[in-house]
Amino acid sequence: MSLTVAKVREQLSDIVTSSQFLGFDDQLKLYVRFRGVLDDILELLDNPVGPDVIEMLKVFIETIVDENVSLVISRQILTDFNSKVLIEMNNTPCKSLAFFMLDKMCQRSVSFEEQISNTRLHLSTIYEKEKNFKDAVIMLIANPFESGQKLRSVNYKFATLIRIARLYLEDNSPLQAELYINRASILQSEDESLQMAYKLTHASVLEYRHKFIEAAHKFNELSLSSKLTENERMASLTRAIVCSILSPAGDRRFKMLTTLYNDERCQTLINFSILKKLYLCRMIKPDEVDQIETMLLPYQKAKTKNNTYLLAEAMFEHNTLSISKLYKNIKIESLASLLKVDPYKAEIIAARMISEERMKGSIDQIEGFIHFQCKSLSSID
């Protein structure tokens, strides 16, 4: 006789009814009977999963979470369901069934904390594979770190916080990512693979948050790690260079550029000629700016709070600093002409750099001159 939804419901009802007359020592027999029904349903499992099979599994879940079934059995069955049944399904029926499980288990959330957590983790993994990072992280943060059924290890908490931060980055939410990576920094772990994952995620968070000089230092440290492959080290070194290029002009940037310029590995990279000009504080031409832009990732092409692209802002500042080393003073209009911006923008750039003590000088607004206080070769008007 072929299995039907009605037949499954009848079998489960018989098991629940008979369980009322069984003692504690008979729990294993009861578990075997429930598993027998589940295994019969799973024999019908195919991809795509038919609607009748989904309905049978829903009837099974509904029965298992009922108060008439011992928690010893229901918890184990639901754990098996998460680890052995859901992973065999395609994403669409799996998500439908997982949400049905959550709905039923959450009605007795205190009893099924661990099973609810596992189901959410499974859904988070599915969403991540689908590149739906927003829903993936929502599932992950819904899980409490502490459970009445199971104590979480430091490594588990550490890994989860890193994963949440990474998912927030993928969802283009760097502020939230920073909150969680900072929480992870409080915990730390002795697991080397987790430590490397933390360092890479932390560096990426700094990069997304436009804290480029800090990110450059972190990526440079990663590029020297023996725990990474050669390709991973060179990728980290490239990101260190890009972050240095995008960072605000000044002493901190120069120190980072000096470190990278003196690193022999950088000479093998296609962007070393640009790095050399930046280190020597030479003017960067428009065609060279275009070369740098090809190295940027999509999120590095964002705009600053001044409504200027990150790379353009960095190059304006770099070229202004370069000019300050060539001239004792310069008319604001002449600076604007060299930077290829309007005079107001040129004055704003110089004023910001001077006020933040990244360039020594003063602005005479009456005469329309910028005076530089560093070694220079001449003056221009």
Side-chain angles (χ1 to χ4, degrees), residues 61 151 219 236 242 317 323 342 362 379:
I61 292 166
L151 293 175
F219 281 123
S236 295
V242 172
E317 290 193 357
I323 290 167
D342 62 75
S362 60
S379 62

Side-chain angles (χ1 to χ4, degrees), residues 113-336:
E113 286 182 354
E114 183 65 17
Q115 290 70 32
I116 290 171
S117 175
N118 290 338
T119 305
R120 285 177 177 150
L121 286 173
H122 192 75
L123 281 167
S124 179
T125 301
I126 292 175
Y127 281 129
E128 186 175 356
K129 288 178 179 177
E130 295 176 342
K131 299 191 181 302
N132 183 350
F133 302 113
K134 183 176 182 178
D135 286 337
V137 78
I138 286 173
M139 281 293 136
L140 211 52
I141 63 177
N143 276 344
F145 276 156
E146 300 297 344
S147 167
Q149 295 180 35
K150 185 175 182 179
L151 293 175
R152 304 295 188 186
S153 67
V154 172
N155 281 355
Y156 174 88
K157 296 175 186 178
F158 190 58
T160 302
L161 288 170
I162 294 170
R163 186 182 175 196
I164 291 172
R166 181 175 54 77
L167 288 172
Y168 268 126
L169 284 183
E170 295 284 5
D171 190 45
N172 199 28
S173 302
L175 185 59
Q176 292 297 320
E178 188 173 38
L179 292 174
Y180 280 92
I181 203 65
N182 287 344
R183 286 178 62 184
S185 67
I186 298 172
L187 291 175
Q188 290 301 333
S189 167
E190 295 182 0
D191 186 291
E192 290 184 350
S193 62
L194 286 179
Q195 287 178 6
M196 294 309 299
Y198 166 78
K199 289 178 181 179
L200 180 58
T201 306
H202 188 202
S204 299
V205 168
L206 291 171
E207 184 183 27
Y208 268 82
R209 292 280 287 133
H210 300 171
K211 298 178 180 180
F212 290 115
I213 199 65
E214 293 91 342
H217 280 285
K218 297 294 182 183
F219 281 123
N220 188 51
E221 289 174 9
L222 283 166
S223 76
L224 300 171
S225 174
S226 61
K227 306 299 179 184
L228 298 180
T229 65
E230 180 64 21
N231 287 340
E232 289 171 335
R233 287 196 292 271
M234 293 307 291
S236 295
L237 185 61
T238 300
R239 290 180 76 175
I241 293 173
V242 172
C243 286
S244 298
I245 292 172
L246 294 176
S247 60
D251 289 343
R252 295 180 68 197
R253 179 176 184 252
F254 177 72
K255 289 177 182 178
M256 190 68 240
L257 288 171
T258 301
T259 299
L260 294 170
Y261 179 76
N262 290 325
D263 190 330
E264 293 182 357
R265 297 175 300 166
C266 290
Q267 297 179 15
T268 64
L269 299 175
I270 58 172
N271 46 17
F272 181 71
S273 60
I274 301 290
L275 177 62
K276 183 177 181 179
K277 291 193 72 172
L278 291 165
Y279 165 69
L280 296 174
C281 207
R282 293 175 179 170
M283 290 276 289
I284 302 298
K285 299 176 182 177
D287 63 313
E288 292 169 326
V289 175
D290 292 339
Q291 290 180 45
I292 297 173
E293 190 171 9
T294 63
M295 297 155 47
L296 302 185
L297 296 170
Y299 62 86
Q300 294 169 333
K301 298 178 181 179
K303 288 188 174 182
T304 67
K305 60 183 178 182
N306 301 313
N307 201 34
T308 307
Y309 286 105
L310 289 169
L311 178 59
E313 189 87 355
M315 292 302 98
F316 289 151
E317 290 193 357
H318 171 84
N319 287 339
T320 300
L321 192 62
S322 177
I323 290 167
S324 77
K325 296 182 182 301
L326 293 174
Y327 306 110
K328 292 179 181 178
N329 52 63
I330 187 172
K331 268 189 169 293
I332 293 174
E333 289 85 351
S334 299
L335 175 63

